[in-house]
Amino acid sequence: MQGIQRNSRWTRDPTRAPRKTAYLSAHDIAIFSALARYRYLPADYIHAFVGGNFKHVIHRLNVLSREPNLFLNRPPQQRANADANRRRLIYELDQRGVHLLQQHAGELVQRTRPPANFAHELMACQILASFDFGARERAVRLINWSDILTSESLPEQTRRSPKPCSIPVRFESATVTIAADGHPFGIARRDDRGSAYFFCPGIEADCGTEPIETSDFERSSIFKKFTLYLAAQEQGLHRTHFGFPNLYVPFVTTNAARLASMMRLLERITRGAGTRFILFKTFPAFTSFEKPLPPTGHMLTEDWQRVGYSPFNFLTS
């Protein structure tokens, strides 16, 4: 008996099922919306956002990414992982999916050219998605960038800026800008102690591709980022640039050894004092042989390490 032939997971050939054309549903639009918020997501992360039967979602992602539909794309860069043939496929919106959201669902999707570092962008998307999952799990409010842009607290100068996410920091008689990965966001929680708000300029996703220290301040490094965020905090730029009452900067790197090196550097820069607002956590690199983390809200619900202070938790601190 001839075996059942299957499509390669890396081609865009039509499915072998009799029905090849996708007739879009509200569930499909939810898939597109998740990928509009987070450019790259593995299949299990998409399922965590849209719900339903997992096998059906996997099948639907396959159909939506193949001819003649082509609403989704499977970025070829994911094949760089040695275990790519067995991992969950990673998806992004294709141009047809972008146009559909913009024309029929009224969602504005900003897409520039593909990021230079796929692994870095994927890591940032998964970290930010984890905050989203955590907010849903614990019924706290995630204040997104669109909320911030329409807030009366945001200074008008920032709102009109061509790069409102970039913070202009005064440093050694010059102005140097710094922008985190993703967009600024906030967490609003309410408990027995009352209401509390925590704001972040985005997150700093570190794949280990830039030096921790360098003698050239023009070059991107962890030292430069620490220095500029410390200066921004001292100058109160979270208030004057964003209208935020506070600022927390989450740094996420790929392993415990690099995390320890980063924390030692911050301790040295602050002369042993540390700081309350720079937070640390790990997340395995895309190219790692470690098992990928499942889609959970751990970035929001679990503790972050700090230098000179006790661990910080967005839900309990």
Side-chain angles (χ1 to χ4, degrees):
M1 181 182 294
Q2 186 176 2
I4 298 175
Q5 292 184 331
R6 295 185 179 183
N7 291 98
S8 165
R9 59 168 32 201
W10 305 118
T11 72
R12 308 198 76 181
D13 297 337
T15 66
R16 298 182 183 275
R19 179 173 166 180
K20 305 179 188 303
T21 301
Y23 296 93
L24 298 181
S25 66
H27 199 251
D28 296 326
I29 301 302
I31 291 173
F32 299 164
S33 294
L35 289 169
R37 296 194 302 276
Y38 307 105
R39 179 167 191 150
Y40 299 130
L41 287 176
D44 53 343
Y45 276 65
I46 296 172
H47 173 256
F49 275 120
V50 304
N53 180 273
F54 182 69
K55 288 185 177 180
H56 172 75
V57 171
I58 296 298
H59 171 73
R60 198 61 180 168
L61 292 170
N62 182 49
V63 171
L64 293 170
S65 64
R66 293 187 178 276
E67 296 176 350
N69 306 302
L70 303 181
F71 292 104
L72 305 180
N73 182 42
R74 290 162 290 180
Q77 300 97 318
Q78 64 187 291
R79 300 183 73 172
N81 186 285
D83 205 28
N85 285 323
R86 289 180 291 275
R87 284 196 170 203
R88 302 291 186 199
L89 280 167
I90 297 162
Y91 289 86
E92 67 173 329
L93 279 176
D94 211 332
Q95 283 302 313
R96 197 176 181 201
V98 170
H99 293 156
L100 183 135
L101 274 183
Q102 292 175 335
Q103 295 173 7
H104 299 288
E107 291 193 37
L108 179 62
V109 184
Q110 296 182 340
R111 279 291 184 267
T112 57
R113 62 185 181 181
N117 189 327
F118 169 78
H120 176 268
E121 183 70 15
L122 172 64
M123 181 180 179
C125 289
Q126 290 179 280
I127 292 167
L128 291 167
S130 179
F131 277 100
D132 203 336
F133 294 143
R136 295 168 187 232
E137 292 169 11
R138 298 301 180 91
V140 299
R141 183 186 170 207
L142 181 66
I143 304 170
N144 59 37
W145 180 230
S146 61
D147 297 327
I148 294 169
L149 279 175
T150 57
S151 170
E152 293 181 356
S153 299
L154 183 71
E156 194 61 31
Q157 183 177 358
T158 303
R159 197 188 326 273
R160 295 181 179 180
S161 169
K163 295 182 178 180
C165 298
S166 296
I167 306 172
V169 184
R170 297 187 303 278
F171 183 75
E172 294 185 350
S173 72
T175 298
V176 184
T177 59
I178 186 166
D181 299 314
H183 289 112
F185 65 93
I187 302 296
R189 77 170 195 230
R190 181 183 293 274
D191 55 27
D192 295 340
R193 295 170 292 178
S195 299
Y197 298 87
F198 306 95
F199 290 91
C200 303
I203 54 100
E204 289 289 350
D206 171 61
C207 286
T209 55
E210 63 184 4
I212 291 181
E213 293 189 72
T214 177
S215 58
D216 181 6
F217 198 76
E218 295 297 319
R219 183 181 178 187
S220 181
S221 68
I222 302 302
F223 175 85
K224 179 178 180 179
K225 290 178 179 180
F226 285 164
T227 301
L228 292 179
Y229 280 123
L230 288 167
Q233 175 76 3
E234 184 179 354
Q235 295 165 28
L237 297 181
H238 56 287
R239 294 187 178 88
T240 59
H241 185 73
F242 288 126
F244 293 166
N246 53 47
L247 187 73
Y248 292 86
V249 187
F251 275 78
V252 186
T253 191
T254 54
N255 59 69
R258 186 167 172 88
L259 182 76
S261 295
M262 292 167 64
M263 294 179 71
R264 285 196 297 269
L265 172 63
L266 182 60
E267 183 177 32
R268 179 158 56 82
I269 292 174
T270 60
R271 297 181 180 179
T275 180
R276 292 179 180 273
F277 76 96
I278 294 181
L279 315 176
F280 295 94
K281 194 180 280 290
T282 60
F283 189 91
F286 162 69
T287 52
S288 169
F289 286 101
E290 292 183 58
K291 184 178 180 180
L293 293 181
T296 70
H298 68 282
M299 289 290 166
L300 180 69
T301 61
E302 296 181 3
D303 288 352
W304 291 75
Q305 296 184 60
R306 294 190 288 189
V307 174
Y309 293 85
S310 59
F312 173 84
N313 189 293
F314 284 98
L315 299 180
T316 60
S317 295

